[in-house]
């Protein structure tokens, strides 16, 4: 998986970036639309590529002159009949190629093509990491840059003192708005700020369980759950899953044989299997939780990215559900902000649990989140991440075919690939690592006492370049699927 010239995001080579004329020294007029404004096909699923290709051709031909200032994103979106997120994604792509330069308060300027004799980037010996599970960082970069630049003056100074654990009123207001995107109506006294989803899960488990008590969870699960359980001294009871998530029969069996205190589950885009519960399955699980008088810890970290995926458990059972969410899987992995929606009877215990690992709220990250949510950028960015994830999942489906366990219309940055019986996941993972491709074998996610499925989790967001991602996926398929590959690039 080595290449002397690293492809750009759409398969072309990455061009060396040139410095755009500065707004202070340039009287560049706005770029007119004659000859370069793209024509968007209403039936085209990935519209931003038309914008990128049209502008790249216009810059190469000189129709878009070096130093020209592009129209604002919202104006471009309105003229093209697309969303602001689509335009933002296209401009970010052009910026990564070194064709435009965006400057806060001044606009976006055409940089122009690099000289033909510019040397190519050096080859990288680093493996392609399809093991780490995160959204595409390059999509988030311009949004986070704008939010960071906005945090200046007195407000910035206030972000480096001690702040109440669980968040102040402004932090909780951000959480209320973020949770509302998932259909959750929560009051200020029912929302707590956390330093990401893992922090929220730790607080929820510690608030509900004492050492030695048992929590039922999916038999294959987020690997951090095992570490949290070990730190808290609680027992994880594995429950079988199927293509609709946690098995009701398996949960009933666990409740009959163990003194279960709580149920922990991921109803949307389960990690690692990527399956989601339908409404009927949610109703069955909720019924068991009520009959057994349990608390349900709902890990909804992928809910925003997946979009419309059924009503969260908190909406149906707010009196016995702790809803855990964050921005790490749908906005940016490094934005360590999460929120809990908690029954009022449990808020005090959960806040006390947060003090175990926190002595102050994540004020700086919370301020960034507030900027993104209040200005609508968070919603635009989630839409852009969702669109990108859908493109990558669609191509993975073409490459791997029925070996993938994933719903066709569900956005996800990870996929679950079941292997044929004659192959072993550990051996395939080791072989791929020697070839320069990192993936996660199923045993990484298995709860103690269960046999690991013969499968691999493959992450689609850590490799920014679509061309390199497709090379890696094709190589994986060549080694394990052994069928004629679908032809065509990720577009």
């Amino acid at each position: 998986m080595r290449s002397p010239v690293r492809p750009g995001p759409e398969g072309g080579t990455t061009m060396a970036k040139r410095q755009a004329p500065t707004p202070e020294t340039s009287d560049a007029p706005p770029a007119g639309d004659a000859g370069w404004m793209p024509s968007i096909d209403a039936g085209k699923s990935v519209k931003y590529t038309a914008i990128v290709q049209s502008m790249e051709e216009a810059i190469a031909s000189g129709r878009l002159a070096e130093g020209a200032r592009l129209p604002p994103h919202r104006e471009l979106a309105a003229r093209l009949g697309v969303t602001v997120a689509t335009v933002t994604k296209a401009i970010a792509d052009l910026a990564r190629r070194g064709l435009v330069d965006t400057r806060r308060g001044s606009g976006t300027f055409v940089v122009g093509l690099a000289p033909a004799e510019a040397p190519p980037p050096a080859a990288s010996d680093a493996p392609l990491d399809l093991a780490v599970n995160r959204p595409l960082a390059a999509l988030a970069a311009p949004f986070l840059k704008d939010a960071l630049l906005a945090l200046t003056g007195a407000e910035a100074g206030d972000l480096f003192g001690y702040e109440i654990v669980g968040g102040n009123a402004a932090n909780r207001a951000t959480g209320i708005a973020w949770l509302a995107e998932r259909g959750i109506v929560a009051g200020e006294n029912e929302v707590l700020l956390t330093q990401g989803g893992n922090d929220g899960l730790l607080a929820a488990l510690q608030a509900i369980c004492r050492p030695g008590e048992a929590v039922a969870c999916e038999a294959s699960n987020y690997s951090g759950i095992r570490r949290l359980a070990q730190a808290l001294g609680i027992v994880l009871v594995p429950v079988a899953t199927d293509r609709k998530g946690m098995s009701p029969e398996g949960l009933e069996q666990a409740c009959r044989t163990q003194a279960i205190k709580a149920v922990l589950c991921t109803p949307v885009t389960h990690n690692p299997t990527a399956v989601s519960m339908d409404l009927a399955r949610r109703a069955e699980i909720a019924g068991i939780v009520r009959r057994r008088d349990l608390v349900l810890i709902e890990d909804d970290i992928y809910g925003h990215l997946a979009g419309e995926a059924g009503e969260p458990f908190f909406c149906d059972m707010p009196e016995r559900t702790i809803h855990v969410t964050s921005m790490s899987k749908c906005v940016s992995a490094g934005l360590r902000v999460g929120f809990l929606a908690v029954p009022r009877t449990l808020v005090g215990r959960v806040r006390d649990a947060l003090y175990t690992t926190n002595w102050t709220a994540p004020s700086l990250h919370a301020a960034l989140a507030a900027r993104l949510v209040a200005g609508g950028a968070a919603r635009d960015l989630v839409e852009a991440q969702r669109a990108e994830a859908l493109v990558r999942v669609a191509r993975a489906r073409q490459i791997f075919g029925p070996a993938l366990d994933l719903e066709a219309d569900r956005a996800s940055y990870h996929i679950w690939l079941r292997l044929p019986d004659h192959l072993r996941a550990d051996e395939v993972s080791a072989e791929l690592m020697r070839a320069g491709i990192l993936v996660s074998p199923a045993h990484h996610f298995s709860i103690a006492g269960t046999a690991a499925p013969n499968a691999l989790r493959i992450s689609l967001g850590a490799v920014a370049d679509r061309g390199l991602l497709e090379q890696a996926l094709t190589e994986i398929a060549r080694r394990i699927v052994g069928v004629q590959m679908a032809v065509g690039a990720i577009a």
Side-chain angles (χ1 to χ4, degrees):
M1 299 309 300
R2 310 288 188 260
S3 175
V5 179
R6 188 171 292 276
E10 299 300 329
T13 56
T14 303
M15 291 174 279
K17 186 174 181 178
R18 297 175 61 193
Q19 182 64 38
T22 62
E24 292 77 14
T25 60
S26 173
D27 295 323
D33 61 5
W36 73 267
M37 186 67 74
S39 174
I40 304 297
D41 181 355
K44 189 175 180 62
S45 60
V46 186
K47 299 180 176 63
Y48 93 94
T49 57
I51 302 174
V52 172
Q53 291 166 3
S54 180
M55 293 180 67
E56 187 175 20
E57 292 168 1
I59 292 170
S61 67
R63 297 195 304 276
L64 262 178
E66 182 175 345
R69 186 173 67 248
L70 299 180
H73 292 196
R74 291 191 182 279
E75 181 181 330
L76 264 178
R79 291 162 71 178
L80 295 174
V82 299
T83 66
V84 174
T86 298
V87 170
T88 298
K89 183 178 179 184
I91 297 300
D93 198 336
L94 290 163
R96 288 195 300 274
R97 298 175 187 222
L99 298 176
V100 300
D101 187 30
T102 299
R103 302 187 177 191
R104 181 173 177 81
S106 301
T108 300
F109 295 81
V110 175
V111 175
L113 296 176
E117 65 272 13
S124 172
D125 291 328
L128 292 180
D129 194 343
L130 276 62
V132 63
N133 190 14
R134 70 183 191 198
L136 196 64
L139 284 180
F143 292 88
L144 293 174
K145 177 183 177 182
D146 285 349
L148 277 168
L149 290 173
L151 296 178
T152 58
E155 181 183 4
D158 292 339
L159 300 177
F160 295 94
Y162 283 124
E163 187 56 77
I164 183 172
V165 169
N168 58 31
N171 301 148
R172 295 195 298 275
T174 300
I176 290 170
W178 182 247
L179 290 164
E181 296 286 331
R182 294 286 292 130
I184 292 176
V185 178
E188 180 182 340
N189 295 326
E190 298 170 307
V191 175
L192 294 172
L193 171 70
T194 70
Q195 300 199 42
N198 196 74
D199 190 36
L201 290 171
L202 175 61
L205 288 168
Q206 184 175 345
I208 298 304
C209 300
R210 295 178 180 179
E213 292 186 325
V215 173
C217 67
E218 295 98 338
S220 293
N221 220 310
Y222 160 58
S223 60
I225 292 299
R226 298 198 307 269
R227 297 183 177 91
L228 297 182
Q230 183 177 14
L232 296 174
I234 63 177
V235 178
L236 295 178
V237 179
V239 177
T241 61
D242 56 25
R243 293 177 182 271
K244 294 182 180 179
M246 179 178 280
S247 162
E249 295 79 14
L251 180 56
E252 281 282 18
Q253 175 67 17
C255 291
R256 284 194 296 268
T257 59
Q258 301 270 358
I260 300 297
K261 185 74 172 182
V263 176
L264 167 63
C265 67
T266 306
V268 179
T269 319
H270 172 254
N271 182 18
T273 66
V275 301
S276 295
M277 295 185 184
D278 60 15
L279 292 177
R281 177 60 55 87
R282 290 166 196 255
E284 289 181 278
I285 298 297
I288 296 170
V289 169
R290 286 192 175 99
R291 288 196 305 274
R292 297 283 181 173
D293 193 24
L294 304 175
V295 173
L296 187 139
I297 301 172
E298 179 178 25
D299 183 357
D300 193 48
I301 196 169
Y302 298 100
H304 286 78
L305 180 66
E308 294 298 326
E311 190 175 72
F313 279 110
F314 188 89
C315 296
D316 182 40
M317 301 187 296
E319 77 287 353
R320 60 176 67 247
T321 301
I322 299 177
H323 181 94
V324 183
T325 185
S326 85
M327 294 188 164
S328 65
K329 300 301 185 184
C330 60
V331 173
S332 176
L335 185 57
R336 304 312 301 168
V337 173
F339 298 99
L340 298 173
V342 185
R344 292 194 179 190
T345 56
L346 296 177
V347 168
R349 287 160 59 182
V350 175
R351 190 194 300 276
D352 285 346
L354 285 171
Y355 272 103
T356 303
T357 54
N358 303 278
W359 203 244
T360 184
S363 300
L364 177 59
H365 287 234
L368 290 173
R371 290 273 179 179
L372 294 172
V373 172
R379 181 180 295 173
D380 290 343
L381 180 49
V382 170
E383 289 178 358
Q385 294 282 14
R386 186 181 302 133
E388 180 68 22
L390 284 169
V391 170
R392 294 178 180 228
V393 163
R395 186 57 184 139
R397 188 181 302 281
Q398 289 179 313
I399 291 173
F400 294 114
L404 280 190
D405 278 354
L406 190 65
E407 296 177 43
D409 58 349
R410 184 66 45 75
S412 173
Y413 274 119
H414 68 272
I415 56 177
W416 187 241
L417 184 65
R418 296 191 179 275
L419 302 184
D421 292 340
H422 68 279
L423 297 175
R424 290 183 54 191
D426 291 352
E427 294 175 354
V428 172
S429 175
E431 181 182 346
L432 288 169
M433 182 170 63
R434 289 191 290 271
I437 304 172
L438 304 181
V439 297
S440 298
H443 79 263
H444 286 183
F445 310 98
S446 293
I447 302 300
T450 60
N454 191 29
L456 302 173
R457 192 197 71 182
I458 300 173
S459 300
L460 306 179
V463 176
D465 188 289
R466 287 184 182 175
L468 287 178
L469 175 63
E470 179 158 352
Q471 289 177 37
L473 297 179
T474 302
E475 178 63 16
I476 294 170
R478 186 187 71 79
R479 290 171 181 266
I480 66 176
V481 179
V483 297
Q484 180 66 38
M485 306 314 304
V487 178
I490 300 179

